[in-house]
PDB file of all heavy atoms in Angstrom:
ATOM      1  N   SER I  98     101.825 137.979  64.809  1.00 92.00           N
ATOM      2  CA  SER I  98     103.264 138.233  64.411  1.00 92.00           C
ATOM      3  C   SER I  98     104.122 138.408  65.649  1.00 92.00           C
ATOM      4  O   SER I  98     105.020 139.318  65.713  1.00 92.00           O
ATOM      5  CB  SER I  98     103.359 139.477  63.555  1.00 92.00           C
ATOM      6  OG  SER I  98     102.649 139.332  62.338  1.00 92.00           O
ATOM      7  N   THR I  99     103.955 137.513  66.617  1.00 94.00           N
ATOM      8  CA  THR I  99     104.767 137.606  67.827  1.00 94.00           C
ATOM      9  C   THR I  99     105.508 136.299  68.112  1.00 94.00           C
ATOM     10  O   THR I  99     105.014 135.208  67.774  1.00 94.00           O
ATOM     11  CB  THR I  99     103.915 137.961  69.096  1.00 94.00           C
ATOM     12  OG1 THR I  99     102.904 136.968  69.267  1.00 94.00           O
ATOM     13  CG2 THR I  99     103.226 139.318  69.035  1.00 94.00           C
ATOM     14  N   VAL I 100     106.655 136.449  68.728  1.00 94.00           N
ATOM     15  CA  VAL I 100     107.391 135.337  69.232  1.00 94.00           C
ATOM     16  C   VAL I 100     107.483 135.597  70.747  1.00 94.00           C
ATOM     17  O   VAL I 100     107.951 136.621  71.175  1.00 94.00           O
ATOM     18  CB  VAL I 100     108.839 135.231  68.674  1.00 94.00           C
ATOM     19  CG1 VAL I 100     109.609 134.116  69.283  1.00 94.00           C
ATOM     20  CG2 VAL I 100     108.763 135.121  67.159  1.00 94.00           C
ATOM     21  N   THR I 101     107.019 134.608  71.574  1.00 96.00           N
ATOM     22  CA  THR I 101     107.109 134.695  72.971  1.00 96.00           C
ATOM     23  C   THR I 101     108.120 133.727  73.490  1.00 96.00           C
ATOM     24  O   THR I 101     108.025 132.517  73.281  1.00 96.00           O
ATOM     25  CB  THR I 101     105.808 134.493  73.736  1.00 96.00           C
ATOM     26  OG1 THR I 101     104.859 135.495  73.154  1.00 96.00           O
ATOM     27  CG2 THR I 101     105.877 134.652  75.171  1.00 96.00           C
ATOM     28  N   LEU I 102     109.199 134.217  74.150  1.00 95.00           N
ATOM     29  CA  LEU I 102     110.210 133.402  74.657  1.00 95.00           C
ATOM     30  C   LEU I 102     110.086 133.382  76.191  1.00 95.00           C
ATOM     31  O   LEU I 102     109.931 134.427  76.799  1.00 95.00           O
ATOM     32  CB  LEU I 102     111.642 133.984  74.367  1.00 95.00           C
ATOM     33  CG  LEU I 102     111.928 134.086  72.832  1.00 95.00           C
ATOM     34  CD1 LEU I 102     111.550 135.428  72.326  1.00 95.00           C
ATOM     35  CD2 LEU I 102     113.447 133.879  72.607  1.00 95.00           C
ATOM     36  N   SER I 103     110.104 132.245  76.807  1.00 94.00           N
ATOM     37  CA  SER I 103     109.978 132.168  78.276  1.00 94.00           C
ATOM     38  C   SER I 103     110.989 131.225  78.837  1.00 94.00           C
ATOM     39  O   SER I 103     111.393 130.254  78.260  1.00 94.00           O
ATOM     40  CB  SER I 103     108.577 131.792  78.705  1.00 94.00           C
ATOM     41  OG  SER I 103     108.222 130.541  78.098  1.00 94.00           O
ATOM     42  N   GLY I 104     111.479 131.590  80.062  1.00 92.00           N
ATOM     43  CA  GLY I 104     112.483 130.768  80.751  1.00 92.00           C
ATOM     44  C   GLY I 104     113.851 131.077  80.174  1.00 92.00           C
ATOM     45  O   GLY I 104     114.200 130.617  79.131  1.00 92.00           O
ATOM     46  N   ASN I 105     114.592 131.903  80.891  1.00 91.00           N
ATOM     47  CA  ASN I 105     116.015 132.297  80.442  1.00 91.00           C
ATOM     48  C   ASN I 105     115.933 132.868  79.092  1.00 91.00           C
ATOM     49  O   ASN I 105     116.776 132.539  78.204  1.00 91.00           O
ATOM     50  CB  ASN I 105     116.963 131.060  80.575  1.00 91.00           C
ATOM     51  CG  ASN I 105     117.082 130.556  81.991  1.00 91.00           C
ATOM     52  OD1 ASN I 105     117.328 131.280  82.932  1.00 91.00           O
ATOM     53  ND2 ASN I 105     116.918 129.258  82.151  1.00 91.00           N
ATOM     54  N   ALA I 106     115.012 133.818  78.899  1.00 94.00           N
ATOM     55  CA  ALA I 106     114.805 134.382  77.496  1.00 94.00           C
ATOM     56  C   ALA I 106     115.874 135.381  77.173  1.00 94.00           C
ATOM     57  O   ALA I 106     116.276 136.169  78.056  1.00 94.00           O
ATOM     58  CB  ALA I 106     113.426 135.028  77.441  1.00 94.00           C
ATOM     59  N   PHE I 107     116.282 135.324  75.950  1.00 95.00           N
ATOM     60  CA  PHE I 107     117.396 136.213  75.460  1.00 95.00           C
ATOM     61  C   PHE I 107     117.178 136.543  73.980  1.00 95.00           C
ATOM     62  O   PHE I 107     116.849 135.639  73.212  1.00 95.00           O
ATOM     63  CB  PHE I 107     118.712 135.587  75.639  1.00 95.00           C
ATOM     64  CG  PHE I 107     119.901 136.420  75.144  1.00 95.00           C
ATOM     65  CD1 PHE I 107     120.482 137.370  75.868  1.00 95.00           C
ATOM     66  CD2 PHE I 107     120.443 136.152  73.858  1.00 95.00           C
ATOM     67  CE1 PHE I 107     121.525 138.137  75.385  1.00 95.00           C
ATOM     68  CE2 PHE I 107     121.471 136.909  73.374  1.00 95.00           C
ATOM     69  CZ  PHE I 107     122.033 137.887  74.156  1.00 95.00           C
ATOM     70  N   ILE I 108     117.307 137.844  73.623  1.00 94.00           N
ATOM     71  CA  ILE I 108     117.283 138.221  72.224  1.00 94.00           C
ATOM     72  C   ILE I 108     118.405 139.170  71.923  1.00 94.00           C
ATOM     73  O   ILE I 108     118.743 140.036  72.677  1.00 94.00           O
ATOM     74  CB  ILE I 108     115.866 138.985  71.870  1.00 94.00           C
ATOM     75  CG1 ILE I 108     114.735 137.948  71.907  1.00 94.00           C
ATOM     76  CG2 ILE I 108     115.962 139.616  70.511  1.00 94.00           C
ATOM     77  CD1 ILE I 108     113.360 138.589  71.600  1.00 94.00           C
ATOM     78  N   ASP I 109     118.991 138.968  70.760  1.00 95.00           N
ATOM     79  CA  ASP I 109     120.103 139.784  70.202  1.00 95.00           C
ATOM     80  C   ASP I 109     119.681 140.273  68.808  1.00 95.00           C
ATOM     81  O   ASP I 109     119.519 139.495  67.971  1.00 95.00           O
ATOM     82  CB  ASP I 109     121.422 138.962  70.203  1.00 95.00           C
ATOM     83  CG  ASP I 109     122.572 139.782  69.658  1.00 95.00           C
ATOM     84  OD1 ASP I 109     122.436 140.847  68.930  1.00 95.00           O
ATOM     85  OD2 ASP I 109     123.702 139.397  70.022  1.00 95.00           O
ATOM     86  N   ARG I 110     119.636 141.674  68.708  1.00 92.00           N
ATOM     87  CA  ARG I 110     119.367 142.227  67.463  1.00 92.00           C
ATOM     88  C   ARG I 110     120.588 143.110  67.081  1.00 92.00           C
ATOM     89  O   ARG I 110     120.704 144.203  67.576  1.00 92.00           O
ATOM     90  CB  ARG I 110     118.134 143.065  67.401  1.00 92.00           C
ATOM     91  CG  ARG I 110     117.872 143.762  66.069  1.00 92.00           C
ATOM     92  CD  ARG I 110     116.754 144.724  66.048  1.00 92.00           C
ATOM     93  NE  ARG I 110     116.738 145.396  64.777  1.00 92.00           N
ATOM     94  CZ  ARG I 110     115.705 145.836  64.238  1.00 92.00           C
ATOM     95  NH1 ARG I 110     114.522 145.709  64.810  1.00 92.00           N
ATOM     96  NH2 ARG I 110     115.831 146.505  63.075  1.00 92.00           N
ATOM     97  N   GLU I 111     121.509 142.533  66.299  1.00 90.00           N
ATOM     98  CA  GLU I 111     122.707 143.271  65.909  1.00 90.00           C
ATOM     99  C   GLU I 111     123.456 143.917  66.991  1.00 90.00           C
ATOM    100  O   GLU I 111     123.901 145.039  66.913  1.00 90.00           O
ATOM    101  CB  GLU I 111     122.284 144.338  64.809  1.00 90.00           C
ATOM    102  CG  GLU I 111     121.668 143.783  63.546  1.00 90.00           C
ATOM    103  CD  GLU I 111     122.670 142.947  62.697  1.00 90.00           C
ATOM    104  OE1 GLU I 111     123.841 143.358  62.505  1.00 90.00           O
ATOM    105  OE2 GLU I 111     122.269 141.722  62.304  1.00 90.00           O
ATOM    106  N   GLY I 112     123.591 143.229  68.133  1.00 90.00           N
ATOM    107  CA  GLY I 112     124.342 143.674  69.230  1.00 90.00           C
ATOM    108  C   GLY I 112     123.503 144.316  70.337  1.00 90.00           C
ATOM    109  O   GLY I 112     123.968 144.485  71.457  1.00 90.00           O
ATOM    110  N   ASP I 113     122.273 144.693  70.073  1.00 91.00           N
ATOM    111  CA  ASP I 113     121.358 145.129  71.112  1.00 91.00           C
ATOM    112  C   ASP I 113     120.769 143.921  71.732  1.00 91.00           C
ATOM    113  O   ASP I 113     120.172 143.066  71.020  1.00 91.00           O
ATOM    114  CB  ASP I 113     120.241 146.016  70.484  1.00 91.00           C
ATOM    115  CG  ASP I 113     120.668 147.300  69.940  1.00 91.00           C
ATOM    116  OD1 ASP I 113     121.775 147.726  70.200  1.00 91.00           O
ATOM    117  OD2 ASP I 113     119.916 147.955  69.181  1.00 91.00           O
ATOM    118  N   THR I 114     120.950 143.754  73.032  1.00 94.00           N
ATOM    119  CA  THR I 114     120.493 142.519  73.672  1.00 94.00           C
ATOM    120  C   THR I 114     119.423 142.782  74.766  1.00 94.00           C
ATOM    121  O   THR I 114     119.397 143.893  75.397  1.00 94.00           O
ATOM    122  CB  THR I 114     121.656 141.766  74.369  1.00 94.00           C
ATOM    123  OG1 THR I 114     122.196 142.572  75.331  1.00 94.00           O
ATOM    124  CG2 THR I 114     122.656 141.392  73.261  1.00 94.00           C
ATOM    125  N   VAL I 115     118.507 141.888  74.916  1.00 93.00           N
ATOM    126  CA  VAL I 115     117.463 141.923  75.925  1.00 93.00           C
ATOM    127  C   VAL I 115     117.371 140.539  76.570  1.00 93.00           C
ATOM    128  O   VAL I 115     117.394 139.568  75.914  1.00 93.00           O
ATOM    129  CB  VAL I 115     116.044 142.275  75.275  1.00 93.00           C
ATOM    130  CG1 VAL I 115     114.978 142.288  76.285  1.00 93.00           C
ATOM    131  CG2 VAL I 115     116.156 143.531  74.510  1.00 93.00           C
ATOM    132  N   SER I 116     117.264 140.520  77.947  1.00 93.00           N
ATOM    133  CA  SER I 116     117.077 139.247  78.624  1.00 93.00           C
ATOM    134  C   SER I 116     116.159 139.414  79.732  1.00 93.00           C
ATOM    135  O   SER I 116     116.045 140.509  80.347  1.00 93.00           O
ATOM    136  CB  SER I 116     118.456 138.681  79.081  1.00 93.00           C
ATOM    137  OG  SER I 116     119.028 139.534  80.069  1.00 93.00           O
ATOM    138  N   GLY I 117     115.425 138.354  80.076  1.00 93.00           N
ATOM    139  CA  GLY I 117     114.467 138.336  81.198  1.00 93.00           C
ATOM    140  C   GLY I 117     113.826 137.014  81.355  1.00 93.00           C
ATOM    141  O   GLY I 117     114.243 136.073  80.670  1.00 93.00           O
ATOM    142  N   SER I 118     112.813 136.972  82.125  1.00 93.00           N
ATOM    143  CA  SER I 118     112.023 135.697  82.281  1.00 93.00           C
ATOM    144  C   SER I 118     111.159 135.404  81.095  1.00 93.00           C
ATOM    145  O   SER I 118     111.103 134.319  80.618  1.00 93.00           O
ATOM    146  CB  SER I 118     111.199 135.840  83.570  1.00 93.00           C
ATOM    147  OG  SER I 118     110.488 134.603  83.799  1.00 93.00           O
ATOM    148  N   VAL I 119     110.468 136.497  80.620  1.00 95.00           N
ATOM    149  CA  VAL I 119     109.600 136.322  79.398  1.00 95.00           C
ATOM    150  C   VAL I 119     109.864 137.526  78.494  1.00 95.00           C
ATOM    151  O   VAL I 119     109.836 138.709  78.962  1.00 95.00           O
ATOM    152  CB  VAL I 119     108.125 136.268  79.798  1.00 95.00           C
ATOM    153  CG1 VAL I 119     107.263 136.248  78.550  1.00 95.00           C
ATOM    154  CG2 VAL I 119     107.883 135.063  80.726  1.00 95.00           C
ATOM    155  N   ILE I 120     110.055 137.275  77.222  1.00 95.00           N
ATOM    156  CA  ILE I 120     110.168 138.357  76.185  1.00 95.00           C
ATOM    157  C   ILE I 120     109.137 138.068  75.134  1.00 95.00           C
ATOM    158  O   ILE I 120     109.088 136.928  74.642  1.00 95.00           O
ATOM    159  CB  ILE I 120     111.629 138.370  75.583  1.00 95.00           C
ATOM    160  CG1 ILE I 120     112.680 138.566  76.598  1.00 95.00           C
ATOM    161  CG2 ILE I 120     111.639 139.476  74.564  1.00 95.00           C
ATOM    162  CD1 ILE I 120     114.123 138.452  76.052  1.00 95.00           C
ATOM    163  N   THR I 121     108.370 139.105  74.848  1.00 96.00           N
ATOM    164  CA  THR I 121     107.460 139.023  73.651  1.00 96.00           C
ATOM    165  C   THR I 121     108.069 139.942  72.640  1.00 96.00           C
ATOM    166  O   THR I 121     108.244 141.138  72.891  1.00 96.00           O
ATOM    167  CB  THR I 121     106.005 139.361  74.079  1.00 96.00           C
ATOM    168  OG1 THR I 121     105.538 138.467  75.063  1.00 96.00           O
ATOM    169  CG2 THR I 121     105.090 139.246  72.818  1.00 96.00           C
ATOM    170  N   TYR I 122     108.261 139.451  71.413  1.00 93.00           N
ATOM    171  CA  TYR I 122     108.881 140.179  70.378  1.00 93.00           C
ATOM    172  C   TYR I 122     107.935 140.196  69.181  1.00 93.00           C
ATOM    173  O   TYR I 122     107.452 139.176  68.663  1.00 93.00           O
ATOM    174  CB  TYR I 122     110.204 139.526  69.938  1.00 93.00           C
ATOM    175  CG  TYR I 122     110.768 140.120  68.690  1.00 93.00           C
ATOM    176  CD1 TYR I 122     111.340 141.408  68.658  1.00 93.00           C
ATOM    177  CD2 TYR I 122     110.891 139.261  67.597  1.00 93.00           C
ATOM    178  CE1 TYR I 122     111.897 141.871  67.450  1.00 93.00           C
ATOM    179  CE2 TYR I 122     111.471 139.806  66.421  1.00 93.00           C
ATOM    180  CZ  TYR I 122     111.958 141.104  66.369  1.00 93.00           C
ATOM    181  OH  TYR I 122     112.481 141.507  65.195  1.00 93.00           O
ATOM    182  N   ASN I 123     107.627 141.439  68.638  1.00 93.00           N
ATOM    183  CA  ASN I 123     106.727 141.536  67.493  1.00 93.00           C
ATOM    184  C   ASN I 123     107.645 141.522  66.285  1.00 93.00           C
ATOM    185  O   ASN I 123     108.473 142.416  66.163  1.00 93.00           O
ATOM    186  CB  ASN I 123     105.897 142.847  67.599  1.00 93.00           C
ATOM    187  CG  ASN I 123     104.931 142.965  66.510  1.00 93.00           C
ATOM    188  OD1 ASN I 123     105.286 142.888  65.268  1.00 93.00           O
ATOM    189  ND2 ASN I 123     103.630 143.102  66.816  1.00 93.00           N
ATOM    190  N   THR I 124     107.456 140.496  65.464  1.00 89.00           N
ATOM    191  CA  THR I 124     108.352 140.285  64.282  1.00 89.00           C
ATOM    192  C   THR I 124     108.103 141.370  63.183  1.00 89.00           C
ATOM    193  O   THR I 124     108.930 141.510  62.320  1.00 89.00           O
ATOM    194  CB  THR I 124     108.140 138.939  63.688  1.00 89.00           C
ATOM    195  OG1 THR I 124     106.850 138.716  63.241  1.00 89.00           O
ATOM    196  CG2 THR I 124     108.502 137.828  64.688  1.00 89.00           C
ATOM    197  N   LYS I 125     106.978 142.079  63.220  1.00 90.00           N
ATOM    198  CA  LYS I 125     106.679 143.103  62.193  1.00 90.00           C
ATOM    199  C   LYS I 125     107.192 144.523  62.687  1.00 90.00           C
ATOM    200  O   LYS I 125     107.714 145.199  61.839  1.00 90.00           O
ATOM    201  CB  LYS I 125     105.198 143.178  61.866  1.00 90.00           C
ATOM    202  CG  LYS I 125     104.770 141.970  61.138  1.00 90.00           C
ATOM    203  CD  LYS I 125     103.445 142.137  60.457  1.00 90.00           C
ATOM    204  CE  LYS I 125     103.002 140.855  59.837  1.00 90.00           C
ATOM    205  NZ  LYS I 125     102.372 141.014  58.594  1.00 90.00           N
ATOM    206  N   THR I 126     107.054 144.801  63.875  1.00 90.00           N
ATOM    207  CA  THR I 126     107.371 146.153  64.383  1.00 90.00           C
ATOM    208  C   THR I 126     108.738 146.177  65.136  1.00 90.00           C
ATOM    209  O   THR I 126     109.252 147.264  65.494  1.00 90.00           O
ATOM    210  CB  THR I 126     106.294 146.678  65.458  1.00 90.00           C
ATOM    211  OG1 THR I 126     106.222 145.836  66.558  1.00 90.00           O
ATOM    212  CG2 THR I 126     104.906 146.735  64.722  1.00 90.00           C
ATOM    213  N   SER I 127     109.311 145.016  65.480  1.00 86.00           N
ATOM    214  CA  SER I 127     110.530 144.904  66.221  1.00 86.00           C
ATOM    215  C   SER I 127     110.446 145.484  67.610  1.00 86.00           C
ATOM    216  O   SER I 127     111.398 145.958  68.197  1.00 86.00           O
ATOM    217  CB  SER I 127     111.743 145.479  65.496  1.00 86.00           C
ATOM    218  OG  SER I 127     111.934 144.817  64.259  1.00 86.00           O
ATOM    219  N   VAL I 128     109.201 145.455  68.183  1.00 90.00           N
ATOM    220  CA  VAL I 128     108.992 145.965  69.582  1.00 90.00           C
ATOM    221  C   VAL I 128     109.113 144.758  70.514  1.00 90.00           C
ATOM    222  O   VAL I 128     108.459 143.754  70.327  1.00 90.00           O
ATOM    223  CB  VAL I 128     107.621 146.708  69.661  1.00 90.00           C
ATOM    224  CG1 VAL I 128     107.313 147.082  71.138  1.00 90.00           C
ATOM    225  CG2 VAL I 128     107.653 147.929  68.812  1.00 90.00           C
ATOM    226  N   TYR I 129     109.845 145.072  71.612  1.00 89.00           N
ATOM    227  CA  TYR I 129     110.000 144.005  72.680  1.00 89.00           C
ATOM    228  C   TYR I 129     109.138 144.360  73.930  1.00 89.00           C
ATOM    229  O   TYR I 129     109.084 145.537  74.267  1.00 89.00           O
ATOM    230  CB  TYR I 129     111.433 143.919  73.178  1.00 89.00           C
ATOM    231  CG  TYR I 129     112.470 143.738  72.141  1.00 89.00           C
ATOM    232  CD1 TYR I 129     113.234 144.878  71.658  1.00 89.00           C
ATOM    233  CD2 TYR I 129     112.833 142.514  71.678  1.00 89.00           C
ATOM    234  CE1 TYR I 129     114.221 144.690  70.735  1.00 89.00           C
ATOM    235  CE2 TYR I 129     113.806 142.302  70.743  1.00 89.00           C
ATOM    236  CZ  TYR I 129     114.499 143.446  70.259  1.00 89.00           C
ATOM    237  OH  TYR I 129     115.489 143.313  69.327  1.00 89.00           O
ATOM    238  N   THR I 130     108.636 143.397  74.551  1.00 92.00           N
ATOM    239  CA  THR I 130     108.127 143.503  75.916  1.00 92.00           C
ATOM    240  C   THR I 130     108.853 142.477  76.768  1.00 92.00           C
ATOM    241  O   THR I 130     108.849 141.317  76.466  1.00 92.00           O
ATOM    242  CB  THR I 130     106.572 143.221  75.969  1.00 92.00           C
ATOM    243  OG1 THR I 130     105.881 144.092  75.055  1.00 92.00           O
ATOM    244  CG2 THR I 130     106.035 143.451  77.378  1.00 92.00           C
ATOM    245  N   VAL I 131     109.479 143.002  77.859  1.00 93.00           N
ATOM    246  CA  VAL I 131     110.321 142.093  78.645  1.00 93.00           C
ATOM    247  C   VAL I 131     109.749 142.074  80.109  1.00 93.00           C
ATOM    248  O   VAL I 131     109.486 143.140  80.642  1.00 93.00           O
ATOM    249  CB  VAL I 131     111.767 142.608  78.733  1.00 93.00           C
ATOM    250  CG1 VAL I 131     112.654 141.640  79.372  1.00 93.00           C
ATOM    251  CG2 VAL I 131     112.279 142.887  77.289  1.00 93.00           C
ATOM    252  N   LYS I 132     109.718 140.902  80.677  1.00 91.00           N
ATOM    253  CA  LYS I 132     109.231 140.729  82.080  1.00 91.00           C
ATOM    254  C   LYS I 132     110.357 140.012  82.891  1.00 91.00           C
ATOM    255  O   LYS I 132     110.930 139.071  82.333  1.00 91.00           O
ATOM    256  CB  LYS I 132     107.957 139.975  82.176  1.00 91.00           C
ATOM    257  CG  LYS I 132     106.795 140.690  81.489  1.00 91.00           C
ATOM    258  CD  LYS I 132     105.535 139.851  81.577  1.00 91.00           C
ATOM    259  CE  LYS I 132     104.358 140.615  80.838  1.00 91.00           C
ATOM    260  NZ  LYS I 132     103.134 139.794  80.927  1.00 91.00           N
ATOM    261  N   GLY I 133     110.528 140.444  84.071  1.00 88.00           N
ATOM    262  CA  GLY I 133     111.411 139.739  84.998  1.00 88.00           C
ATOM    263  C   GLY I 133     110.557 138.693  85.746  1.00 88.00           C
ATOM    264  O   GLY I 133     109.342 138.561  85.576  1.00 88.00           O
ATOM    265  N   GLY I 134     111.196 138.055  86.615  1.00 75.00           N
ATOM    266  CA  GLY I 134     110.453 137.052  87.464  1.00 75.00           C
ATOM    267  C   GLY I 134     111.404 136.399  88.367  1.00 75.00           C
ATOM    268  O   GLY I 134     112.651 136.669  88.344  1.00 75.00           O
ATOM    269  N   LYS I 135     110.882 135.651  89.343  1.00 66.00           N
ATOM    270  CA  LYS I 135     111.787 135.102  90.405  1.00 66.00           C
ATOM    271  C   LYS I 135     112.835 134.212  89.776  1.00 66.00           C
ATOM    272  O   LYS I 135     113.898 133.953  90.385  1.00 66.00           O
ATOM    273  CB  LYS I 135     110.901 134.407  91.456  1.00 66.00           C
ATOM    274  CG  LYS I 135     110.144 133.192  90.920  1.00 66.00           C
ATOM    275  CD  LYS I 135     109.408 132.577  92.085  1.00 66.00           C
ATOM    276  CE  LYS I 135     108.656 131.340  91.574  1.00 66.00           C
ATOM    277  NZ  LYS I 135     107.842 130.747  92.615  1.00 66.00           N
ATOM    278  N   ASN I 136     112.589 133.626  88.594  1.00 52.00           N
ATOM    279  CA  ASN I 136     113.516 132.737  88.050  1.00 52.00           C
ATOM    280  C   ASN I 136     114.458 133.479  86.983  1.00 52.00           C
ATOM    281  O   ASN I 136     115.195 132.835  86.277  1.00 52.00           O
ATOM    282  CB  ASN I 136     112.890 131.569  87.312  1.00 52.00           C
ATOM    283  CG  ASN I 136     112.140 130.719  88.351  1.00 52.00           C
ATOM    284  OD1 ASN I 136     112.609 130.523  89.440  1.00 52.00           O
ATOM    285  ND2 ASN I 136     111.017 130.182  87.964  1.00 52.00           N
ATOM    286  N   ALA I 137     114.300 134.847  86.852  1.00 45.00           N
ATOM    287  CA  ALA I 137     115.074 135.594  85.895  1.00 45.00           C
ATOM    288  C   ALA I 137     116.509 135.875  86.294  1.00 45.00           C
ATOM    289  O   ALA I 137     117.273 136.428  85.548  1.00 45.00           O
ATOM    290  CB  ALA I 137     114.345 136.828  85.500  1.00 45.00           C
ATOM    291  N   GLY I 138     116.837 135.552  87.515  1.00 50.00           N
ATOM    292  CA  GLY I 138     118.167 135.810  88.035  1.00 50.00           C
ATOM    293  C   GLY I 138     118.241 137.264  88.527  1.00 50.00           C
ATOM    294  O   GLY I 138     117.391 138.071  88.237  1.00 50.00           O
ATOM    295  N   LYS I 139     119.289 137.558  89.265  1.00 54.00           N
ATOM    296  CA  LYS I 139     119.463 138.932  89.780  1.00 54.00           C
ATOM    297  C   LYS I 139     118.180 139.503  90.307  1.00 54.00           C
ATOM    298  O   LYS I 139     117.789 140.616  89.968  1.00 54.00           O
ATOM    299  CB  LYS I 139     120.056 139.896  88.649  1.00 54.00           C
ATOM    300  CG  LYS I 139     121.392 139.413  88.197  1.00 54.00           C
ATOM    301  CD  LYS I 139     121.930 140.331  87.175  1.00 54.00           C
ATOM    302  CE  LYS I 139     123.279 139.854  86.665  1.00 54.00           C
ATOM    303  NZ  LYS I 139     123.832 140.707  85.603  1.00 54.00           N
ATOM    304  N   ARG I 140     117.456 138.729  91.106  1.00 63.00           N
ATOM    305  CA  ARG I 140     116.257 139.176  91.782  1.00 63.00           C
ATOM    306  C   ARG I 140     115.202 139.590  90.909  1.00 63.00           C
ATOM    307  O   ARG I 140     114.434 140.556  91.106  1.00 63.00           O
ATOM    308  CB  ARG I 140     116.595 140.267  92.806  1.00 63.00           C
ATOM    309  CG  ARG I 140     117.464 139.752  93.905  1.00 63.00           C
ATOM    310  CD  ARG I 140     117.683 140.821  94.969  1.00 63.00           C
ATOM    311  NE  ARG I 140     119.038 140.521  95.472  1.00 63.00           N
ATOM    312  CZ  ARG I 140     119.970 141.437  95.562  1.00 63.00           C
ATOM    313  NH1 ARG I 140     119.783 142.654  95.168  1.00 63.00           N
ATOM    314  NH2 ARG I 140     121.096 141.119  96.048  1.00 63.00           N
ATOM    315  N   GLY I 141     115.010 138.885  89.685  1.00 72.00           N
ATOM    316  CA  GLY I 141     113.866 139.178  88.847  1.00 72.00           C
ATOM    317  C   GLY I 141     114.070 140.356  87.874  1.00 72.00           C
ATOM    318  O   GLY I 141     113.138 140.796  87.259  1.00 72.00           O
ATOM    319  N   ARG I 142     115.277 140.895  87.822  1.00 77.00           N
ATOM    320  CA  ARG I 142     115.530 141.999  86.895  1.00 77.00           C
ATOM    321  C   ARG I 142     115.621 141.584  85.442  1.00 77.00           C
ATOM    322  O   ARG I 142     115.921 140.507  85.162  1.00 77.00           O
ATOM    323  CB  ARG I 142     116.852 142.709  87.305  1.00 77.00           C
ATOM    324  CG  ARG I 142     116.710 143.314  88.702  1.00 77.00           C
ATOM    325  CD  ARG I 142     118.038 143.973  89.024  1.00 77.00           C
ATOM    326  NE  ARG I 142     117.942 144.526  90.405  1.00 77.00           N
ATOM    327  CZ  ARG I 142     118.946 145.025  91.034  1.00 77.00           C
ATOM    328  NH1 ARG I 142     120.120 144.983  90.510  1.00 77.00           N
ATOM    329  NH2 ARG I 142     118.779 145.533  92.222  1.00 77.00           N
ATOM    330  N   VAL I 143     115.329 142.553  84.587  1.00 84.00           N
ATOM    331  CA  VAL I 143     115.523 142.403  83.208  1.00 84.00           C
ATOM    332  C   VAL I 143     116.867 143.125  82.813  1.00 84.00           C
ATOM    333  O   VAL I 143     117.290 143.960  83.580  1.00 84.00           O
ATOM    334  CB  VAL I 143     114.440 142.852  82.366  1.00 84.00           C
ATOM    335  CG1 VAL I 143     113.115 142.093  82.725  1.00 84.00           C
ATOM    336  CG2 VAL I 143     114.184 144.386  82.506  1.00 84.00           C
TER     337      VAL I 143
END
């Protein structure tokens, strides 16, 4: 029950936003795991 977004990853849940290099989102629990990286912009920050 996960969606993994990679490369300029972005999620918006009703105005709450998350961005980074890789985001793993659990579709049942609505829990995000966000990772930065050298290609995430702003020096790898999330």
Side-chain angles (χ1 to χ4, degrees):
S98 298
T99 59
V100 177
T101 302
L102 299 92
S103 57
N105 300 310
F107 177 84
I108 290 182
D109 180 336
R110 177 185 172 151
E111 297 295 313
D113 293 343
T114 62
V115 179
S116 63
S118 183
V119 178
I120 302 171
T121 301
Y122 170 68
N123 186 303
T124 61
K125 291 196 183 219
T126 64
S127 296
V128 173
Y129 308 97
T130 303
V131 187
K132 296 180 182 178
K135 64 181 180 180
N136 295 327
K139 297 183 183 177
R140 295 183 210 127
R142 294 182 182 169
V143 300

